[in-house]
């Protein structure tokens, strides 16, 4: 860590803090990246520091890695303190000052990181509280999605944020981009002379970004009634991954040039038209306490995105995500154009198993697979689909992999915007979404445990969805993909 920090964790007793943030902060501390830091938890719950430290330890025991012994916990636990938000801005300011004083360095050398793990409607109240507490100076702020629900609300939110914080201080988090695999796209594209020359419309037929989820919305129906799958997942997650996949080479891997190239992708996209979108809702969603019997909320969405620039003109990008689907996955699949196959004899299987694919699995332990045709050993010309695969956990450095939230918190502490979303990017995406939001197609029912409404096959035709895979990822007990 480059300089001492005080991290103020809003929503410190919430679900995200319990599952990801507190275990992540423990791991960063043990990695030597939070040595000169103090963590001030705050939420609406009226508890004291002792209770918060016990809560944090239980969270790390349940969702962290390894046994949390007294010896292991003591150094990290001593960095924690707590103040209730109901105590007001002055109490928060006093808690932060006390934390800064305990670092025993000049206050001017201490940076502040405010993590807003709160519902979107509460974010503006937190901004006001930080302003009134005098905690804007020397600080950066991490904000959770969604960043508005349409263009007008996004512009209003950004305006309110910028009344308190400069854009350079704001880090809009997308944990998808914090994953090793998402960053591996940049390394794969720009560090290898083999792939960058063919990363364009001349060689790539279509691209799929597929993020199905098996979980439902139990307990989150009220939130989803005001958002839905498109607002919750597509604008804030899938489009950001698409930008990494489709961007032009930046002048450097510094935050500014990468953000510029991502924004160029968004500005090259055609507006999202309703006829290019399939919306779905799983059977059983309606009728819950916070859901109308006529609810039109999408728990599933699939869409075709078109990018009008020289690199991607004519190459469709198909995006799909939804709740209560057959499998949980986070996959980018790139289908290459097929060559002429006239020289192969009948019965050779040439072209019978679809195009060659380059697949990125965005799981925490990232994987890549390149599929291609090869000759089956034996007499005659019989082809079969083969693959070359790479997995992060196969490398000697796999133990050093940071989880998404851990990496992004550390990046925000260093002021690195590379993996975060800008105000201009978010507003551009909401602007492109206006045709869809103004006239959304009706939601189609789908059975829990399926892959969504049947209309998704007409959307992608004459292509086919890559998921479900016909063959599993390779491991010691499985066949190759």
């Amino acid at each position: 860590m480059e300089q001492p920090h005080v991290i103020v964790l809003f929503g410190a007793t919430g679900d995200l803090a319990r599952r990801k943030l507190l275990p992540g902060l423990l791991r960063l501390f043990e990695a030597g990246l939070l040595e000169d830091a103090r963590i001030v938890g705050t939420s609406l719950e009226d508890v004291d520091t002792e209770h918060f430290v016990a809560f944090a330890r239980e969270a790390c025991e349940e969702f962290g890695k390894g046994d949390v012994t007294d010896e292991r916990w003591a150094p990290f636990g001593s960095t924690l303190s707590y103040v209730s938000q109901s105590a007001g801005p002055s109490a928060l300011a006093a808690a932060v000052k006390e934390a800064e004083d305990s670092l025993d360095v000049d206050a001017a050398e201490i940076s502040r990181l405010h993590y807003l793990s709160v519902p979107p409607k509460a974010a503006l109240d937190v901004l006001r509280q930080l302003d009134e507490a005098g905690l804007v100076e020397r600080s950066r702020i991490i904000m959770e999605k969604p960043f508005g629900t349409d263009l007008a609300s996004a512009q209003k939110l950004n305006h309110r944020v910028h009344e308190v914080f400069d854009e350079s201080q704001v880090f809009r988090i997308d944990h998808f981009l914090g994953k090793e695999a998402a960053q591996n796209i940049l390394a794969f594209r720009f560090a290898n002379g083999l792939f960058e020359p063919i990363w364009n419309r001349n060689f790539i037929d279509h691209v799929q970004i597929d993020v199905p989820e098996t979980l439902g919305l139990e307990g989150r129906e009220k939130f989803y009634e005001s958002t839905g799958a498109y607002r919750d997942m597509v604008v804030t997650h899938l489009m950001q991954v698409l930008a990494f996949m489709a961007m032009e080479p930046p002048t450097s891997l510094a935050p500014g040039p990468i953000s510029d190239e991502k924004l160029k992708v968004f500005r090259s996209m055609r507006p999202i038209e309703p006829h290019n979108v399939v919306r779905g809702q799983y059977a059983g969603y309606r009728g819950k306490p916070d859901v109308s019997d006529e609810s039109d909320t999408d728990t599933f969405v699939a869409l075709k995105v078109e990018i009008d620039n020289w690199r991607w003109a004519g190459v469709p990008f198909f995006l799909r995500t939804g709740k209560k689907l057959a499998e949980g996955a986070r996959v980018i699949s790139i289908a290459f154009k097929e060559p002429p196959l006239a020289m192969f004899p009948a019965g050779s299987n040439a072209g019978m198993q679809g195009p060659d694919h380059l697949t990125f699995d965005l799981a925490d332990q990232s994987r890549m697979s390149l599929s291609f045709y090869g000759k089956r050993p034996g007499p005659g010309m019989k082809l079969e689909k083969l693959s070359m695969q790479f997995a992060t956990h196969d490398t000697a450095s796999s133990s050093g992999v940071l989880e998404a939230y851990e990496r992004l918190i550390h990046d925000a502490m260093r002021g690195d915007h590379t993996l975060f979303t800008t105000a201009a990017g978010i507003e551009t995406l909401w602007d492109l979404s206006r045709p869809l939001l103004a006239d959304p197609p009706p939601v189609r029912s789908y059975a829990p445990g399926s892959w969504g409404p049947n209309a998704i096959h007409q959307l992608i035709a004459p292509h086919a969805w890559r998921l479900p895979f016909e063959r599993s990822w390779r491991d010691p007990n499985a066949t190759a993909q």
Side-chain angles (χ1 to χ4, degrees), residues 56-286:
R57 179 168 180 173
E58 290 175 3
C60 294
E61 288 173 343
E62 184 174 358
F63 297 103
K65 297 181 178 180
D67 294 332
V68 183
T69 62
D70 290 344
E71 184 179 9
R72 179 187 176 193
W73 177 254
F76 178 71
S78 66
T79 69
L80 303 175
S81 62
Y82 183 87
V83 59
S84 174
Q85 278 190 262
S86 61
S90 59
L92 179 63
V96 171
K97 184 179 186 307
E98 183 179 348
E100 290 180 341
D101 290 344
S102 71
L103 287 171
D104 198 28
V105 295
D106 185 0
E109 299 178 13
I110 301 173
S111 294
R112 301 161 178 159
L113 179 67
H114 307 301
Y115 197 121
L116 273 60
S117 177
V118 297
K121 291 182 179 179
L124 294 179
D125 291 335
V126 171
L127 291 173
R128 185 178 66 252
Q129 188 177 21
L130 288 170
D131 194 18
E132 293 175 0
L135 297 175
V136 176
E137 186 183 8
R138 296 184 278 115
S139 71
R140 301 183 178 104
I141 181 171
I142 297 179
M143 299 188 68
E144 281 283 347
K145 69 174 181 71
F147 314 112
T149 55
D150 55 21
L151 178 60
S153 62
Q155 289 175 329
K156 180 180 178 181
L157 176 61
N158 285 328
H159 176 71
R160 296 286 296 275
V161 170
H162 292 156
E163 287 179 339
V164 181
F165 289 91
D166 183 77
E167 177 66 14
S168 64
Q169 295 175 280
V170 183
F171 293 76
R172 298 169 187 83
I173 195 167
D174 171 19
H175 70 273
F176 275 45
L177 294 188
K179 295 179 178 294
E180 284 284 338
Q183 296 160 78
N184 219 355
I185 296 171
L186 298 181
F188 196 84
R189 285 188 59 186
F190 301 131
N192 294 295
L194 175 61
F195 290 101
E196 180 54 26
I198 63 172
W199 210 268
N200 56 57
R201 63 188 299 271
N202 296 322
F203 298 92
I204 292 177
D205 185 73
H206 67 278
V207 177
Q208 295 179 36
I209 301 176
D210 217 344
V211 186
E213 297 181 273
T214 57
L215 296 176
L217 289 163
E218 290 74 13
R220 299 182 65 215
E221 292 93 349
K222 186 175 182 180
F223 163 72
Y224 237 64
E225 280 297 285
S226 62
T227 52
Y230 182 83
R231 289 178 168 95
D232 181 47
M233 290 291 294
V234 175
V235 173
T236 52
H237 288 324
L238 274 66
M239 290 293 194
Q240 307 304 322
V241 174
L242 182 153
F244 262 35
M245 159 64 204
M247 62 189 272
E248 294 294 322
T251 54
S252 74
L253 290 182
I258 287 181
S259 295
D260 291 343
E261 295 304 333
K262 287 173 59 183
L263 184 57
K264 288 179 186 178
V265 173
F266 299 147
R267 288 175 171 167
S268 300
M269 286 168 48
R270 293 185 187 177
I272 309 300
E273 300 291 347
H275 65 267
N276 283 331
V277 179
V278 174
R279 299 169 69 238
Q281 185 184 92
Y282 64 77
Y285 173 79
R286 293 178 181 174

Side-chain angles (χ1 to χ4, degrees), residues 188 192 194-196 198-199 203-204 331-337 353-361 367-374 384-391 466 469 471-474 480-481:
F188 196 84
N192 294 295
L194 175 61
F195 290 101
E196 180 54 26
I198 63 172
W199 210 268
F203 298 92
I204 292 177
V331 170
I332 303 172
S333 192
I334 300 158
F336 292 97
K337 290 186 175 180
Q353 292 178 280
D356 299 339
H357 281 88
L358 176 63
T359 303
F360 293 87
D361 183 350
R367 297 176 292 191
M368 292 186 297
S369 171
L370 178 63
S371 69
F372 53 92
Y373 286 97
E384 61 182 348
K385 211 62 180 284
L386 307 172
S387 69
M388 293 187 293
Q389 298 188 10
F390 160 82
R466 182 84 164 124
F469 290 131
R471 291 174 293 277
S472 62
W473 287 89
R474 181 181 299 141
Q481 181 187 337

Side-chain angles (χ1 to χ4, degrees), residues 319-335:
L319 281 55
R320 176 173 63 169
T321 186
K323 308 295 184 183
K324 286 201 174 182
L325 296 179
E327 294 178 21
R330 295 163 183 170
V331 170
I332 303 172
S333 192
I334 300 158

Side-chain angles (χ1 to χ4, degrees), residues 287-422:
K288 300 291 173 62
D290 294 312
V291 180
S292 164
D293 290 340
E294 286 79 38
S295 172
D296 191 48
T297 298
D298 49 302
T299 65
F300 170 97
V301 64
L303 62 151
K304 180 169 75 171
V305 175
E306 298 167 290
I307 301 175
D308 275 346
N309 61 23
W310 278 40
R311 183 180 291 264
W312 297 115
V315 178
F317 288 71
F318 296 102
L319 281 55
R320 176 173 63 169
T321 186
K323 308 295 184 183
K324 286 201 174 182
L325 296 179
E327 294 178 21
R330 295 163 183 170
V331 170
I332 303 172
S333 192
I334 300 158
F336 292 97
K337 290 186 175 180
E338 298 187 65
L341 300 170
M343 81 281 290
F344 290 95
S348 67
N349 288 333
M352 298 301 294
Q353 292 178 280
D356 299 339
H357 281 88
L358 176 63
T359 303
F360 293 87
D361 183 350
L362 303 186
D364 289 330
Q365 288 285 0
S366 62
R367 297 176 292 191
M368 292 186 297
S369 171
L370 178 63
S371 69
F372 53 92
Y373 286 97
K375 182 184 178 299
R376 181 181 298 171
M381 181 58 72
K382 198 82 167 179
L383 305 183
E384 61 182 348
K385 211 62 180 284
L386 307 172
S387 69
M388 293 187 293
Q389 298 188 10
F390 160 82
T392 301
H393 59 263
D394 290 337
T395 67
S397 56
S398 62
S399 60
V401 173
L402 293 176
E403 291 191 358
Y405 281 101
E406 298 163 4
R407 176 184 304 280
L408 293 171
I409 289 171
H410 184 236
D411 283 355
M413 291 169 66
R414 296 187 299 114
D416 187 342
H417 277 89
T418 302
L419 302 176
F420 294 85
T421 306
T422 64

